[in-house]
């Protein structure tokens, strides 16, 4: 089955700096790669996703890149703000017909004012 | 927020007792998932469903069973709870394969 590795596990940046979180996946048939943000005590919520027919996608300060050949994808947050502090999870669809979703272990991002 | 409700929100139970967690949705979404969240492990898939009576195992299914007799309800059962099943359990739903998954509020389960 699918396996998703996520790095780093913790990341601390100064307000205004950029943050990058990287994930790799094992199943070459996977074709859907979402990113979720989870604030303390809250449920995970989707912030951006990308499909295998696209190499890059942007939404304001957030961007995701996908390299299918290398089987890795990354989340880029520019001009970080204290409210970006949270745990971020990457995920990949297993590629099977039932389409289950496998998550990485998460990255705790701290943005220091 | 998507119409997804988990019950109970908190539960303390004793080792060896059966426990059932309920996930209820009002969105008529086809896919439903149960995850557990533990420090250092992220979100791990327990079981998922791709239709009524259609379920399959996830990454950490041992000790858990599920049932989905109607579209709106997905039940997770711990047949005989153990301390290692102390966790926060999240249900999620999605309309189609490879689309946004919406999460419930979570259930904090403590097995003593």
């Amino acid at each position: 089955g699918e396996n998703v590795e996520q790095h780093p596990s913790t990341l601390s940046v100064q307000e205004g700096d950029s943050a990058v979180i990287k994930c790799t996946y094992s199943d070459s048939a996977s074709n859907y790669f979402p990113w979720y943000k989870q604030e303390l005590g809250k449920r995970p919520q989707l912030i951006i996703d990308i499909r295998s027919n696209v190499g890059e996608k942007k939404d304001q300060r957030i961007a995701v890149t996908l390299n299918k050949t290398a089987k890795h994808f990354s989340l880029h947050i520019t001009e970080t703000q204290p409210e970006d502090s949270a745990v971020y999870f990457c995920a990949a669809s297993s590629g099977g017909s039932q389409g289950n979703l496998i998550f990485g272990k998460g990255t705790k991002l701290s943005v220091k004012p | 927020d998507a119409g997804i409700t988990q019950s109970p929100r908190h539960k303390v139970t004793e080792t060896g007792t059966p426990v059932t967690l309920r996930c209820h949705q009002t969105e008529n979404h086809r896919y439903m998932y149960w995850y557990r969240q533990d420090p250092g492990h992220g979100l791990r898939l327990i079981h998922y469903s791709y239709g009524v009576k259609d379920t399959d195992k996830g990454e950490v299914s041992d000790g858990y069973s599920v049932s989905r007799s109607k579209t709106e309800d997905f039940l997770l059962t711990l047949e005989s709870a153990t301390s290692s099943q102390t966790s926060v359990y999240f249900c999620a739903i999605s309309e189609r394969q490879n689309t946004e998954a919406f999460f419930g509020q979570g259930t904090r389960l403590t097995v003593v």
Side-chain angles (χ1 to χ4, degrees):
Chain A
E2 177 66 275
N3 182 52
V4 178
E5 299 283 341
Q6 183 172 347
H7 299 279
S9 56
T10 60
L11 180 59
S12 182
V13 300
Q14 286 295 132
E15 183 177 359
D17 287 350
S18 296
V20 180
I21 302 171
K22 299 181 179 181
C23 289
T24 60
Y25 61 98
S26 61
D27 188 346
S28 57
S30 289
N31 53 14
Y32 176 63
F33 307 93
W35 286 87
Y36 284 78
K37 176 183 180 182
Q38 186 180 28
E39 297 176 348
L40 190 63
K42 302 287 184 63
R43 72 189 83 186
Q45 292 189 300
L46 181 76
I47 55 171
I48 195 168
D49 58 10
I50 191 168
R51 289 178 172 77
S52 59
N53 57 343
V54 176
E56 182 176 1
K57 184 177 180 180
K58 286 185 178 180
D59 183 2
Q60 299 182 351
R61 296 186 296 108
I62 293 173
V64 58
T65 58
L66 171 65
N67 183 328
K68 284 223 73 179
T69 303
K71 290 191 283 187
H72 67 71
F73 56 113
S74 301
L75 178 72
H76 304 253
I77 306 174
T78 58
E79 301 173 19
T80 54
Q81 302 168 2
E83 51 265 38
D84 294 328
S85 296
V87 179
Y88 292 81
F89 294 97
C90 63
S93 69
S94 70
S97 59
Q98 287 75 32
N100 62 12
L101 199 57
I102 303 299
F103 284 81
K105 293 183 178 181
T107 296
K108 183 177 182 180
L109 174 64
S110 299
V111 180
K112 299 180 179 179
Chain B
D1 289 340
I4 176 171
T5 305
Q6 291 184 229
S7 59
R9 294 292 313 279
H10 303 273
K11 186 170 182 67
V12 179
T13 193
E14 293 186 348
T15 298
T17 60
V19 177
T20 295
L21 308 183
R22 182 188 185 220
C23 179
H24 178 77
Q25 59 143 330
T26 57
E27 304 296 326
N28 200 37
H29 283 358
R30 179 181 174 188
Y31 294 87
M32 299 187 76
Y33 312 83
W34 276 109
Y35 289 91
R36 61 178 289 175
Q37 184 171 33
D38 305 287
H41 292 278
L43 293 157
R44 291 183 290 176
L45 182 65
I46 305 172
H47 282 279
Y48 64 102
S49 170
Y50 45 96
V52 173
K53 299 191 188 304
D54 292 322
T55 65
D56 205 349
K57 296 178 180 180
E59 305 166 275
V60 289
S61 59
D62 287 349
Y64 302 94
S65 62
V66 290
S67 66
R68 191 171 179 198
S69 59
K70 45 187 179 178
T71 299
E72 56 266 36
D73 289 327
F74 192 32
L75 304 180
L76 176 71
T77 297
L78 290 65
E79 302 291 348
S80 177
T82 68
S83 58
S84 64
Q85 294 176 311
T86 292
S87 186
V88 177
Y89 290 86
F90 282 100
C91 174
I93 62 174
S94 63
E95 185 175 10
R96 297 183 301 276
Q97 184 178 343
N98 295 347
T99 57
E100 179 175 2
F102 297 93
F103 282 80
Q105 323 97 298
T107 295
R108 183 173 295 278
L109 176 68
T110 302
V111 183
V112 298

